[in-house]
Amino acid sequence: RVAVEVRGCFWHACPTHGMVPAANADWWRAKFERTVNRDRSTREALLAAGWRLVVVWEHEHSEAAARRVATAVGST
């Protein structure tokens, strides 16, 4: 059982491309923190239920992401 989550760099605070808009920065920081916490909770729940999680970021090349997913599926 493999779950694939595709995350947008902006909305999920990508460690490579994430940025906080200058306008209303405190609101955006709180929004991103909630999203990151939800992502963490989702990951923990999936792993606890026996799923493997593959996270694909929007900036990744689709071929590389597809290979990672295929590897995860093939190793289950």
Side-chain angles (χ1 to χ4, degrees):
R1 296 177 352 164
V2 176
V4 179
E5 181 180 342
V6 180
R7 295 182 183 171
C9 290
F10 178 76
W11 295 108
H12 292 266
C14 171
T16 304
H17 301 107
M19 51 78 74
V20 177
N24 210 5
D26 290 338
W27 185 89
W28 281 108
R29 274 191 206 84
K31 166 85 171 126
F32 294 146
E33 184 177 334
R34 287 190 308 272
T35 302
V36 168
N37 287 338
R38 187 183 66 233
D39 291 342
R40 185 178 304 115
S41 294
T42 299
R43 178 183 186 278
E44 290 170 2
L46 286 168
L47 296 178
W51 288 80
R52 296 186 64 174
L53 176 62
V54 178
V55 175
V56 176
W57 288 95
E58 75 172 297
H59 66 261
E60 290 186 65
H61 292 327
S62 56
E63 294 85 7
R67 281 193 299 273
R68 287 195 306 115
V69 171
T71 297
V73 169
S75 65
T76 59

